[in-house]
Amino acid sequence: MKTLILRGKKAMRKNFRNKSINDTFIKEANCSAVVVGASLSGLMTGIALSRAGLKVTILERAGAKPRSGAVLQVDSGEIDRTKTAKFLRKLASGGIRSAEAWSSIQFRLRTEAEADSRIDLRYDKRVQIVNQDENSAWVVTDKGETFHGDILIGADGHRSIVRRYVSPHKPNATFAGYLIWVAIVDEKDIPEKHRPSLNAPKFTMPDGIGDFLLGSIIAGADGSTALGDRRLGWAWYDNTQNDLLRRLGCVEGDVVQYSLHAPDIPEQTLIELAEKASDRWAQPWLDAILHSIQTRNLIGTPIAEYVPENLVKGRIAIVGDAAHLPTPLTASGFNASLQDASTLAECVAKGIQGTGASEALLEYESFRLKNARQIVQSGQSFSQSFGR
Ligand SMILES: Cc1cc2nc3c(=O)[nH]c(=O)nc-3n(C[C@H](O)[C@H](O)[C@H](O)COP(=O)(O)OP(=O)(O)OC[C@H]3O[C@@H](n4cnc5c(N)ncnc54)[C@H](O)[C@@H]3O)c2cc1C
């Protein structure tokens, strides 16, 4: 039945090659979408849907204050070459860079979304209820406000409330048995003699007695790549903190509840981490890690994984980490989120009136589900051997 509803994969692929969103722009500008979550995936989805002609409301539970995050590799994995994908990649990466601070990517996407008159970006809106009927889909926030759209997209991350609606038989991502300590350090904060040379590799994975460390060198916050102006991002995979994570409530049962933020990390844990770092890691990563520990500028993210069985229910779909959650070692979450956004926009651009809404979303699912499952599964053998 599903194949009958879909408009033909071959024809669609041909469409993708020959037509851009601008050619297939939805004529009725009163079609609308609600997107839950204004992190990277939600912003990219909102921008892509707006370019497809929809009015978009993006709802984010956090406040408008800028947040920080890890270093991301923005150009890894299979590259989607549609016009929208190219646009989003250029926007997110700032042109040429392959590694970027989460905060820089988020800033560019947010600036674009805020400048777009078809996008209404709202902060401090925590979605609690998700529902739909034959005419629309809607959410209700914790303050009782209701937002309707022709379609509703969940870009609300690893503990997605929209996923619970779309996939009630498989609502939760599963704890993978380890965490990643992450931080970004200004190069000027480590001794000059340990700063990497200008031609040092941008990514490195030094040996470390059974643990994994990913080091990356990125431009400074002002974009400068001069010696002393750059930043060092590090991500240390650690499978020895599971008892602590459970004791502090970061992990309950098999479900990750939240990350371990710097103020909550016990002093003794930091002391042990600094000792372990001194045994394991060479410069400049050792100095970068010790500086992060001394200044409590690090975060412990318990890693969860989610292999989706479906991405859509009626007028409601999931994208990004809500839809597929791979271990960060795959470096594929961002790229997959970008492909979700551009594919979704291409599918809805042909029209979402009446039953067109659920047909377009089913088409999106038919293009993305296999890839979404594969990227998560590609990291699971690592998690099974490293996680505890
Ligand atoms: C340490 C680390 C390193 C990584 N490295 C890479 C890499 O090198 N390459 C790569 O491609 N990917 C990487 N990733 C993955 C990548 O960061 C994500 O896949 C990508 O950012 C997409 O995330 P997202 O927007 O879907 O989810 P999130 O960033 O989790 O955003 C979800 C948003 O939804 C909001 N929200 C949640 N619930 C609600 C609600 N009820 N109501 C309203 N708003 C809500 C949240 O506040 C949040 O803003 C890494 C991830 C981590 C943790």
Side-chain angles (χ1 to χ4, degrees), residues 72-137:
L72 299 189
Q73 216 174 319
V74 295
D75 59 357
S76 59
E78 189 190 327
I79 304 289
D80 179 343
R81 307 229 174 258
T82 62
K83 204 167 177 178
T84 307
K86 279 188 194 159
F87 174 81
L88 290 174
R89 196 176 306 284
K90 194 168 173 198
L91 177 64
S93 67
I96 45 165
R97 291 180 199 116
S98 62
E100 262 290 19
W102 181 94
S103 53
S104 306
I105 301 173
Q106 205 262 359
F107 176 77
R108 292 192 196 106
L109 294 171
R110 179 176 166 172
T111 305
E112 175 76 17
E114 283 172 346
D116 187 330
S117 60
R118 277 197 297 267
I119 298 180
D120 182 10
L121 180 53
R122 309 259 196 120
Y123 289 93
D124 294 309
K125 303 289 177 203
R126 180 184 291 269
V127 167
Q128 278 192 328
I129 296 170
V130 175
N131 213 337
Q132 65 182 322
D133 61 20
E134 63 277 15
N135 299 314
S136 72

Side-chain angles (χ1 to χ4, degrees), residues 37 39 41 60-61 67 72-73 125 127 156 321 331 333-334:
S39 184
S41 182
E60 167 57 50
R61 71 177 170 196
R67 292 179 279 162
L72 299 189
Q73 216 174 319
K125 303 289 177 203
V127 167
D156 49 343
D321 286 2
F334 172 81

